[in-house]
Amino acid sequence: GGVMFDSLGWIPQVDMLYRAPSEGAECGGRYLQEGHSIDEWVDALNAAYREGLKDFRRQPSWFAGEERKRGGEMLLCLTSTPACFSRSVVVESMIQAGMPIEEDPRIA
């Protein structure tokens, strides 16, 4: 994984859906206050992961209603660049199409 600028301090929301967002969709979740520490960010991410696991335990099977979903989809989103709006610290990469991308000077 890697950390992109938009990832810094971002905490996913538990009701994120595991699918590519439609054009113009806005990323859910929240950002920690400016000036947060890495430890505060890690603690908040770990709390979000625990919430995602609880959500999965409540509804582990896929169900169809207005849209197909299940508990814990937020955890799946973190394995998908599109589903988490390129904010995942799990799967983002400094390589795209086999070529390194320019490092964002704001995170260098």
Side-chain angles (χ1 to χ4, degrees), residues 4-16 26-34 36-52 74-75 77-78 83-89:
M4 301 301 184
F5 183 76
D6 286 341
S7 302
L8 296 172
W10 179 70
I11 308 301
Q13 62 191 42
V14 74
D15 63 352
M16 289 181 75
E26 293 188 22
C27 183
R30 65 182 175 86
Y31 281 98
L32 296 179
Q33 291 181 358
E34 193 168 327
H36 67 274
S37 71
I38 294 295
D39 288 337
E40 290 169 323
W41 185 30
V42 169
D43 289 345
L45 283 172
N46 284 333
Y49 298 149
R50 285 190 294 276
E51 259 323 287
M74 177 263 287
L75 299 172
C77 288
L78 294 175
C84 68
F85 295 76
S86 300
R87 295 178 186 180
S88 174
V89 295

